């Protein structure tokens, strides 16, 4: 079932979010940003990026040795007062933390919004979708006429869809759609960079794992920090 975003947005978020969640070739290297905190890794999942079939789609293997170790899925020590199940996105580090019990977190490498499309705040996962349909906003179609055909009918699910294998939709405390997403991407090489038009992207194998852990509702708090 296709669900269109029809909720109003708010303040600055409305201005930034209109960029949508497309891919973009303008990338800023992580090396241009300050390094994140040193953490102790308890387990790294290098074997999680092979070929897999999901809902009839054949996800290709990711050449994980070409991805920096810090951006591969791993369990790390992570002290926080937030309760387990909270998602904390550190855009400067290019890391997403899913808080686990016992001072641990599952950490994923992410791609973030390029300059001018970044956002920070608190939200929650209102709903989530496997192999979503992508509806770029009209403002994006003005900038990129080649995607205008997808504004109304959307781009159907598939290996080249900018939202990848999964999408989780972030709403604010008033129940309004922020237009920001946690989603997959077929562009694994963009992880660790500022490449998107605002949304938080993960490698498809990672977003499938995160999706399986997240329960939609206001109890699933998402904190995005810069």
């Amino acid at each position: 079932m296709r669900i269109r975003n029809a909720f109003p947005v708010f303040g600055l978020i409305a201005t930034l979010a209109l960029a949508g969640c497309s891919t973009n070739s303008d990338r800023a290297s992580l090396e241009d940003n300050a390094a994140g905190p040193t953490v102790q890794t308890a387990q790294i999942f290098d074997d999680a990026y092979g070929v897999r079939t999901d809902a009839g789609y054949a996800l290709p293997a990711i050449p994980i040795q070409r991805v920096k170790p810090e951006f591969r899925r791993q369990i790390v020590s992570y002290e926080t007062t937030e309760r387990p199940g909270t998602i904390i996105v550190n855009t400067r580090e290019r890391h997403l933390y899913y808080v686990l019990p016992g001072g641990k977190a599952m950490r994923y490498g992410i791609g973030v919004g390029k300059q001018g499309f970044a956002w920070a705040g608190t939200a929650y996962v209102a709903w989530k979708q496997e192999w979503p349909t992508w509806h770029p906003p009209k403002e994006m179609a003005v900038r990129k006429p080649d995607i205008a055909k997808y504004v109304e009918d959307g781009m159907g699910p598939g290996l080249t869809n900018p939202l990848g294998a999964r999408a989780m939709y972030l709403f604010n405390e008033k129940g309004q759609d922020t237009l920001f997403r946690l989603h997959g991407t077929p562009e694994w090489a963009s992880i660790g960079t500022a490449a998107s038009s605002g949304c938080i992207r993960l490698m498809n194998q990672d977003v499938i794992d995160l999706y399986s852990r997240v329960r939609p509702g206001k109890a699933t708090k998402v904190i995005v920090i810069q």
Side-chain angles (χ1 to χ4, degrees):
M1 178 175 66
R2 296 179 181 174
I3 301 178
R4 299 293 304 278
N5 298 325
F7 294 86
V9 294
F10 54 100
L12 179 61
I13 293 175
T15 302
L16 300 180
L18 289 175
C21 299
S22 71
T23 56
N24 193 289
S25 60
D26 297 330
R27 294 174 181 167
S29 170
L30 180 68
E31 296 173 355
D32 296 334
N33 295 277
T38 300
V39 297
Q40 181 178 357
T41 298
Q43 183 178 1
I44 190 166
F45 297 88
D46 280 356
D47 59 350
Y49 298 98
V51 175
R52 65 177 295 175
T53 299
D54 182 81
Y57 297 98
L59 282 172
I62 294 172
I64 199 61
Q65 297 306 317
R66 294 174 60 186
V67 178
K68 291 182 179 181
E70 65 183 288
F71 299 131
R72 305 172 195 172
R73 188 194 319 166
Q74 53 198 279
I75 296 176
V76 299
S77 58
Y78 192 74
E79 295 298 330
T80 178
T81 57
E82 300 295 337
R83 67 181 184 178
T86 300
I87 295 171
I88 300 174
V89 179
N90 189 312
T91 59
R92 179 169 289 274
E93 289 181 15
R94 313 293 203 258
H95 288 147
L96 182 151
Y97 297 88
Y98 180 84
V99 179
L100 301 171
K104 303 290 184 183
M106 185 68 78
R107 191 180 77 183
Y108 308 86
I110 59 173
V112 302
K114 64 180 181 177
Q115 185 175 9
F117 294 106
W119 173 74
T122 300
Y124 68 95
V125 176
W127 59 283
K128 60 181 187 176
Q129 187 174 8
E130 298 184 8
W131 293 100
T133 295
W134 178 55
H135 288 275
K138 293 180 180 179
E139 291 77 9
M140 181 182 292
V142 171
R143 299 195 309 272
K144 300 179 179 181
D146 57 312
I147 68 170
K149 60 185 177 181
Y150 299 123
V151 171
E152 294 299 326
D153 296 332
M155 177 187 286
L159 297 177
T160 61
N161 188 300
L163 295 182
R166 303 286 190 275
M168 287 158 275
Y169 298 78
L170 305 185
F171 283 45
N172 67 10
E173 61 182 7
K174 296 180 180 179
Q176 299 168 326
D177 189 352
T178 68
L179 301 184
F180 284 87
R181 317 290 183 231
L182 309 175
H183 67 86
T185 179
E187 295 190 340
W188 59 266
S190 69
I191 300 305
T193 71
S196 77
S197 293
C199 297
I200 304 300
R201 60 170 66 174
L202 299 85
M203 289 180 278
N204 274 325
Q205 282 85 339
D206 281 346
V207 80
I208 290 172
D209 182 80
L210 176 63
Y211 185 98
S212 70
R213 300 174 187 275
V214 171
R215 299 182 63 182
K218 290 189 175 181
T220 303
K221 185 178 180 181
V222 180
I223 303 170
V224 181
I225 57 177
Q226 295 180 344

